[in-house]
Amino acid sequence: MKQKNTIFSALLIAALLSTLTSCLGRFETLNTNPNQVKGDQMDVNNYRTGTKIVSLQSLVVPMQEHQYQFIESLVGCPFAGYMGSTVDTWLTRWETYNPSDDWRAKPFKDVITELYTPYRGILSGTDDEVAIAFANLFRVAVMHRMTDSYGPIPYSNVLTTEKVKVKYDSQEEVYTTMFEELDLAIATLENNRNLSASAWNKYDRVYYGDISKWIKYANSLKLRMAMRISYVRPELAAQKASEAIAGGLILTNADNAYIHPVDNKLALIYNDWSDHRAGADILSYMSGYNDPRLEKMFTKNNPGSEDEASRKYVGLRIGSAISSKADFIENYSNMSVTPSDPVLWMNAAEVNFLLSEYELRLNNDKAKAKEHYEAGVTLSFEERGAAGAKEYLLDTEHTPELYIDPLGKYSGERKMSECKIAWDVTGDEETNLEQIITQKWIAIFPLGNEAWAEYRRTGYPRLLPAPQNLGPDPIDANRHARRLIYPIEEYNENLENLNEAISILNGESAEAKGDQMGTRVWWDVKAYR
């Protein structure tokens, strides 16, 4: 009996051990979400790298609503004459030159933080040369906007450390490095021109994996950057522009660079929040020109009025004191945008205007300059779905109209410009340049940071003087802000490197004034007119 019990006990223990072993063997399966993407699947589907590509693309023109508002709606668009704020409780604004500490941090600290996490992740996490080329291309696309806003920025040294204390590069060094990175990215993309779109179409919200179009975008970005430095380094600008042209550009609207978000948050910012309304500057130009694109780009004021004749396209004077948000929303026009609209990065119209300026200033071919100017206008009409481009280009009479403020406080004292539409065949270089930049400014709306950079670089379009300066920096009301000031965090956490950066800024600037909004960045050297 005892022996039988011993045998039975041994068999029972063996059975239990077998069951336990089986359970333990299934433990990972039992405790794993069956819908979870596994590590090997992430690699097979390119998920790890692909999601980082999505993150980088969403920063070129910020897709998160608050980030877009802080960088475009509150900085680039006001300084470009595109959009002004309507919130009566905002007493510290970039457009009145007295931004709060929080506003100062957003275009600098937040962008660097959000860019370099996915960027480093791609560089350290894959040997896919196309993914690395994309990462470098998008870094340039994001950071050229930042250096154009500030001057010296942390660039090359950000890759060697994740610490708060980072050395700055001069803006000239940043541009030199960016051109090198662009050239390498373009070469890699050229080597993979015939790669199937299916390799990246799940994670590419711009061209859906079409490498040939990415090559055109990269070259067009290079052309934009080349013309940006054309006053400070004309020979290098001509060289880089010539290379970009040879490499192939965005020349038709079919190749335009638009990101396609699931939900365009610009509609939330402008339609739902109503924190902004169209600027007096751009609407005075377009209304004066009787521009057919006006109704495609903006809405009329007094949206609730049943008297259609009383409704107009009229903008607010940017930098105005906001007496009542409700009054400003009612009396001024808004930009036209829906949640399903794509968001512009670069279009064929801009590229043709860049080519027009290149031919005018760097290649001394006025006939080609005229050809590209007219192509830029025509492409813009086509892109907006507006008719009448041919007639518009023949207009030798209309000029921007005098701004009349519907609320009666901030009307203009004179017309901003006498710039006409039809190409002036007898005009000098400046006359034609003003035409090119003015039409480019209209065509690239609402790319505020790009338009602001071009305004500073060329002096065009001519904008209304700033109505008030509530900040500590002396700023010429007719020249507006020339750069952004560094955030308080840099003073508190990176002071030694920041002081060196400010010294570099002064050394590069045509008007050395230190970390002020009136200081001109490296490429901003053209004499004021």
Side-chain angles (χ1 to χ4, degrees):
M1 186 72 176
K2 183 178 180 181
Q3 185 179 6
K4 289 181 179 180
N5 287 339
T6 302
I7 295 172
F8 175 77
S9 297
L11 291 172
L12 179 60
I13 291 170
L16 289 170
L17 287 172
S18 176
T19 302
L20 180 60
T21 301
S22 177
C23 288
L24 289 172
R26 293 163 51 216
F27 180 81
E28 184 177 353
T29 303
L30 291 171
N31 288 274
T32 300
N33 183 346
N35 298 317
Q36 180 178 324
V37 180
K38 298 180 179 65
D40 56 347
Q41 291 174 314
M42 291 168 70
D43 291 333
V44 169
N45 296 325
N46 214 12
Y47 181 82
R48 293 182 196 272
T49 302
T51 53
K52 293 178 177 65
I53 294 294
V54 172
S55 295
L56 291 176
Q57 286 189 346
S58 69
L59 292 170
V60 174
V61 174
M63 290 293 91
Q64 200 278 337
E65 58 268 30
H66 295 290
Q67 192 172 48
Y68 182 94
Q69 186 176 38
F70 275 113
I71 296 173
E72 286 288 338
S73 304
L74 297 172
V75 177
C77 285
F79 290 160
Y82 280 167
M83 305 291 295
S85 60
T86 62
V87 182
D88 45 28
T89 57
W90 287 350
L91 304 180
T92 53
R93 299 176 288 163
W94 284 107
E95 63 195 85
T96 49
Y97 312 128
N98 62 334
S100 67
D101 293 351
D102 184 43
W103 285 26
R104 286 173 62 175
K106 297 299 181 181
F108 188 91
K109 181 174 174 287
D110 288 9
V111 173
I112 290 177
T113 300
E114 294 194 24
L115 172 73
Y116 281 101
T117 297
Y119 179 75
R120 287 194 186 101
I122 291 174
L123 266 59
S124 64
T126 183
D127 57 2
D128 186 323
E129 65 175 4
V130 174
I132 293 170
F134 278 149
N136 286 320
L137 172 59
F138 300 146
R139 180 167 89 125
V140 171
V142 173
M143 297 304 285
H144 97 277
R145 288 159 46 98
M146 178 178 285
T147 190
D148 288 348
S149 295
Y150 290 93
I153 59 170
Y155 194 75
S156 61
N157 295 294
V158 178
L159 300 182
T160 60
T161 180
E162 295 186 19
K163 296 180 180 179
V164 173
K165 297 182 178 181
V166 183
K167 289 179 66 66
Y168 285 63
D169 297 90
S170 70
Q171 187 170 40
E172 183 174 14
E173 290 170 338
V174 173
Y175 261 79
T176 298
T177 305
M178 287 194 300
F179 278 127
E180 292 171 355
E181 291 172 346
L182 263 183
D183 288 342
L184 289 173
I186 291 168
T188 298
L189 293 173
E190 279 286 4
N191 291 338
N192 290 273
R193 177 184 283 273
N194 296 322
L195 182 69
S196 171
S198 62
W200 289 102
N201 62 358
K202 291 181 182 178
Y203 309 108
D204 177 4
R205 295 178 179 173
V206 179
Y207 291 131
Y208 300 101
D210 189 334
I211 301 296
S212 65
K213 291 189 176 184
W214 278 116
I215 294 169
K216 294 177 182 179
Y217 169 75
N219 280 305
S220 299
L221 177 60
K222 184 176 178 179
L223 177 62
R224 176 195 280 179
M225 291 167 53
M227 296 311 297
R228 185 81 84 245
I229 66 170
S230 60
Y231 282 105
V232 68
R233 291 289 184 273
E235 292 183 1
L236 179 61
Q239 174 195 332
K240 292 300 180 182
S242 179
E243 292 171 2
I245 293 166
L249 302 166
I250 297 171
L251 295 174
T252 68
N253 285 323
D255 293 331
N256 287 349
Y258 276 92
I259 190 168
H260 301 81
V262 175
D263 183 16
N264 185 342
K265 297 301 183 180
L266 275 69
L268 177 68
I269 296 167
Y270 294 111
N271 299 338
D272 297 349
W273 297 350
S274 295
D275 288 347
H276 313 271
R277 283 295 180 263
D281 303 86
I282 190 167
L283 289 186
S284 294
Y285 272 83
M286 295 185 74
S287 295
Y289 288 155
N290 289 331
D291 197 314
R293 292 168 290 181
L294 194 57
E295 65 180 22
K296 307 294 184 178
M297 296 165 61
F298 298 96
T299 64
K300 292 182 179 180
N301 67 353
N302 299 318
S305 175
E306 295 182 0
D307 181 10
E308 183 62 26
S310 70
R311 302 183 63 214
K312 299 178 180 179
Y313 293 105
V314 58
L316 63 85
R317 182 79 172 266
I318 294 169
S320 301
I322 312 301
S323 55
S324 164
K325 181 175 181 179
D327 287 346
F328 273 61
I329 292 172
E330 184 73 13
N331 283 280
Y332 301 109
S333 296
N334 195 11
M335 72 178 289
S336 181
V337 61
T338 73
S340 61
D341 290 341
V343 177
L344 177 65
W345 282 11
M346 182 178 282
N347 56 22
E350 178 187 347
V351 175
N352 272 276
F353 290 124
L354 289 166
L355 289 170
S356 181
E357 183 185 355
Y358 166 80
E359 296 293 351
L360 177 71
R361 293 185 47 241
L362 301 182
N363 205 37
N364 197 31
D365 191 330
K366 199 167 182 178
K368 285 188 177 179
K370 176 178 183 289
E371 180 182 331
H372 284 296
Y373 170 79
E374 293 180 345
V377 171
T378 302
L379 285 161
S380 178
F381 271 65
E382 177 185 288
E383 181 183 12
R384 300 288 183 180
K390 185 175 180 180
E391 294 77 13
Y392 182 84
L393 284 165
L394 295 174
D395 188 336
T396 60
E397 300 297 326
H398 286 93
T399 59
E401 68 180 15
L402 175 68
Y403 174 62
I404 305 298
D405 184 359
L407 294 182
K409 187 175 182 181
Y410 289 106
S411 295
E413 296 180 357
R414 63 183 186 278
K415 293 170 66 172
M416 286 175 278
S417 173
E418 294 297 327
C419 182
K420 295 182 174 66
I421 300 167
W423 182 263
D424 191 337
V425 294
T426 63
D428 61 12
E429 181 178 292
E430 283 300 315
T431 299
N432 291 142
L433 180 64
E434 183 175 5
Q435 292 183 294
I436 293 167
I437 302 300
T438 298
Q439 287 298 326
K440 177 163 70 170
W441 174 65
I442 295 171
I444 67 173
F445 178 86
L447 290 178
N449 278 279
E450 180 59 27
W452 177 41
E454 289 295 81
Y455 165 74
R456 289 175 287 152
R457 180 179 70 87
T458 65
Y460 305 120
R462 301 178 194 270
L463 302 177
L464 286 163
Q468 57 179 340
N469 178 1
L470 301 181
D473 298 346
I475 296 172
D476 187 331
N478 291 296
R479 309 301 176 194
H480 303 278
R482 312 307 294 187
R483 62 179 292 276
L484 304 186
I485 49 177
Y486 294 116
I488 294 297
E489 288 83 352
E490 286 297 285
Y491 281 92
N492 293 336
E493 302 168 4
N494 195 25
L495 183 59
E496 182 179 351
N497 290 318
L498 179 62
N499 284 334
E500 182 183 1
I502 294 170
S503 177
I504 293 170
L505 171 67
N506 282 332
E508 288 188 318
S509 178
E511 294 180 13
K513 300 175 182 177
D515 187 19
Q516 296 188 14
M517 296 177 71
T519 303
R520 303 175 76 174
V521 298
W522 168 64
W523 46 253
D524 181 6
V525 297
K526 183 181 179 183
Y528 292 140
R529 296 181 66 82

